[in-house]
Amino acid sequence: MMTDSLNFKLGNPGAVQFGNFINYYQFHPPSNRIAMLPTDIWHSVMKPNEKCYILDVGCNAGDLTIEVYNFLRANISSSNCKVLGIDIDPTLIKRASEKNSIENITFKCLDIMTEPEANYLTNSNNKFDIIFCFSITMWIHLNHGDEGLKKFLKKVSNLTNMLVIEPQPWKCYKTAVKRFNKGFPQFENLKIRQNVEEEIEKYILNCCDMGKLGESDRTEWGRKLLFFQRQK
């Protein structure tokens, strides 16, 4: 799906269907997210100097993906850290690939809701060590409904040993629906609504075989990161 850069020129950055903002990191610099990441939890799934496979879902133009790679390299003491960033938007993936100069980072255009796992799993373990999902649950939810959100949460949980997820609170939904004048047909039928962050956490804990490691403080834009680890 192509981004609509005209909406940004008209001062309406939220008017895209999948959250594929073409100038996203002008609004939310990667350093804001990196500052929320703890330094002491990663060794629960990764040992120093082992290979580490990371997936960043909804990577946009790749700025944050690259900073996550640098952060993990510094905090897991591994020189063999491979990161795959995926996004539904081909324009954003093209930008990410063009700016990337790191051999261990790859960007691909695909829709995680429909793409078979075999097309993006990069190791023989059939799992990533860590999956990051920064502010994409709302867009999955608005476009695929309650069952689509659950399918997504189940899928990413099954694909990883550690899940880092940043859900958007309900007020973000109302803003997105207001800005996107074409509308989201699923919106009125959503049963997961006011307490969406809590419902996402509860579903991951109760239905996805994951335990909670902790959570960050809320950012200046009102969101927090949740950290989960696969139960042994």
Side-chain angles (χ1 to χ4, degrees):
M1 298 14 180
M2 301 298 288
T3 53
D4 187 355
S5 59
L6 178 60
N7 281 310
F8 289 90
K9 294 176 182 177
L10 296 176
N12 191 9
V16 288
Q17 185 177 356
F18 300 100
N20 45 327
F21 305 134
I22 202 164
N23 294 315
Y24 180 79
Y25 295 113
Q26 292 182 12
F27 299 93
H28 298 300
S31 58
N32 291 352
R33 270 10 183 284
I34 297 300
M36 297 166 62
L37 297 175
T39 59
D40 58 350
I41 66 171
W42 314 104
H43 292 297
S44 62
V45 295
M46 287 305 307
K47 299 295 187 294
N49 300 316
E50 288 186 352
K51 292 182 180 180
C52 180
Y53 295 94
I54 313 299
L55 178 66
D56 182 16
V57 184
C59 66
N60 198 271
D63 302 52
L64 180 55
T65 311
I66 293 169
E67 292 307 315
V68 164
Y69 171 82
N70 291 331
F71 173 87
L72 290 175
R73 280 284 308 277
N75 285 280
I76 64 174
S77 302
S78 175
S79 59
N80 200 348
C81 182
K82 296 185 180 298
V83 179
L84 172 62
I86 63 173
D87 199 280
I88 197 172
D89 190 315
T91 300
L92 293 174
I93 289 298
K94 183 174 184 291
R95 290 189 174 195
S97 298
E98 288 174 347
K99 76 175 65 171
N100 178 41
S101 61
I102 301 174
E103 183 179 358
N104 283 344
I105 301 178
T106 304
F107 294 100
K108 289 186 178 181
C109 180
L110 59 84
D111 183 351
I112 196 170
M113 297 298 290
T114 59
E115 194 81 16
E117 289 91 331
N119 289 353
Y120 54 91
L121 280 170
T122 57
N123 62 85
S124 59
N125 295 329
N126 293 322
K127 270 188 172 55
F128 292 93
D129 295 292
I130 310 168
I131 291 181
F132 291 89
C133 304
F134 293 104
S135 287
I136 61 169
T137 55
M138 177 181 72
W139 304 107
I140 299 288
H141 201 187
L142 286 172
N143 285 286
H144 298 278
D146 291 333
E147 293 308 311
L149 175 63
K150 293 176 183 178
K151 174 185 174 182
F152 169 76
L153 296 173
K154 176 75 77 170
K155 187 171 189 176
V156 292
S157 296
N158 286 340
L159 283 172
T160 189
N161 294 316
M162 181 183 288
L163 178 64
V164 181
I165 195 163
E166 181 188 31
Q168 292 101 321
W170 184 248
K171 65 180 182 180
C172 296
Y173 285 65
K174 294 188 288 185
T175 300
V177 170
K178 182 178 179 181
R179 285 177 171 174
F180 187 58
N181 56 21
K182 294 180 182 179
F184 294 96
Q186 298 275 1
F187 179 68
E188 295 300 330
N189 297 321
L190 297 181
K191 293 181 180 178
I192 301 175
R193 299 180 75 85
Q194 302 292 343
N195 57 341
V196 62
E197 292 172 292
E198 291 80 5
E199 289 296 323
I200 286 173
E201 178 176 330
K202 184 165 62 175
Y203 186 80
I204 293 173
L205 292 175
N206 295 339
C207 303
C208 299
D209 197 27
M210 302 288 273
K212 189 176 180 182
L213 287 171
E215 63 182 59
S216 71
D217 294 331
R218 288 197 180 271
T219 64
E220 60 185 25
W221 59 95
R223 301 175 200 175
K224 60 184 178 180
L225 293 179
L226 306 176
F227 302 89
F228 300 94
Q229 183 174 350
R230 175 155 300 284
Q231 299 294 284
K232 303 298 183 183

